[in-house]
């Protein structure tokens, strides 16, 4: 069986936070505000994977009221979700990510982000796209 998931997330930029996007720490004067490290890319990917497998959404799986996830590395969400999917017999064919951001410029980061996502999802880099 072939299934498709769509994930979405939005975080605002704020001062005094590191900017983490797609698992990359990016030099920037502002970072994303959120309960975890607020990695909006990894949150949307997690959300899409959960959706494709019919496992709800990231808010169900990792509630922002849970102190375990305060400032946590969002790659935890991706890794755990991947394990859940694999346990249920699912395998990821490809991931396509769209980032909407006023800043920073995504162009210089896309290739590294793609590589990082591929490693995290244990996919060939050709199976991951960032735009
Ligand atoms: Mg989020």
């Amino acid at each position: 069986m072939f299934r498709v998931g769509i994930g979405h997330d939005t975080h605002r930029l704020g001062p005094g936070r590191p900017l983490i996007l797609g698992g990359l720490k990016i030099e920037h004067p502002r970072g994303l505000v959120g309960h975890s490290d607020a990695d909006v890319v990894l949150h949307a990917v997690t959300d899409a994977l959960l959706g494709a497998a019919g496992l709800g959404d990231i808010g169900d799986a990792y509630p922002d009221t849970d102190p375990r996830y305060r400032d946590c590395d969002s790659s935890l969400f991706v890794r755990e979700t991947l394990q859940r999917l694999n346990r249920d017999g699912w395998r990821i064919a490809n991931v396509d990510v769209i980032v909407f951001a006023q800043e920073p410029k995504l162009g210089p980061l896309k290739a590294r982000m793609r590589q990082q996502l591929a490693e995290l999802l244990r996919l060939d880099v050709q199976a991951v796209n960032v735009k």
Side-chain angles (χ1 to χ4, degrees):
M1 197 194 304
F2 187 88
R3 294 170 67 157
V4 174
I6 297 172
H8 174 267
D9 198 15
T10 307
H11 285 255
R12 65 186 169 82
L13 286 163
R17 295 271 302 179
L19 179 58
I20 318 280
L21 264 185
L24 301 178
K25 190 160 192 291
I26 296 158
E27 278 306 314
H28 199 68
R30 299 192 293 165
L32 293 169
V33 177
H35 181 69
S36 64
D37 68 3
D39 188 330
V40 69
V41 171
L42 297 191
H43 291 185
V45 168
T46 301
D47 204 42
L49 295 176
L50 289 167
L55 294 171
D57 62 37
I58 190 170
D60 300 330
Y62 302 102
D64 64 6
T65 49
D66 191 327
R68 279 179 300 173
Y69 306 127
R70 174 167 291 285
D71 294 323
C72 89
D73 178 348
S74 294
S75 62
L76 169 80
F77 306 154
V78 177
R79 283 202 196 89
E80 280 192 3
T81 301
L82 186 58
Q83 280 171 9
R84 286 180 72 183
L85 265 60
N86 289 341
R87 230 177 4 242
D88 289 353
W90 295 109
R91 193 173 54 78
I92 301 171
N94 75 294
V95 171
D96 191 13
V97 176
I98 304 174
V99 181
F100 296 93
Q102 289 182 311
E103 54 184 92
K105 279 239 174 274
L106 195 64
L109 306 168
K110 281 194 294 189
R112 270 203 302 149
M113 198 177 297
R114 185 183 190 198
Q115 186 66 47
Q116 180 71 20
L117 283 173
E119 283 171 24
L120 199 51
L121 294 164
R122 296 194 210 113
L123 292 171
D124 189 282
V125 74
Q126 299 301 324
V128 177
N129 194 62
V130 177
K131 56 200 177 193

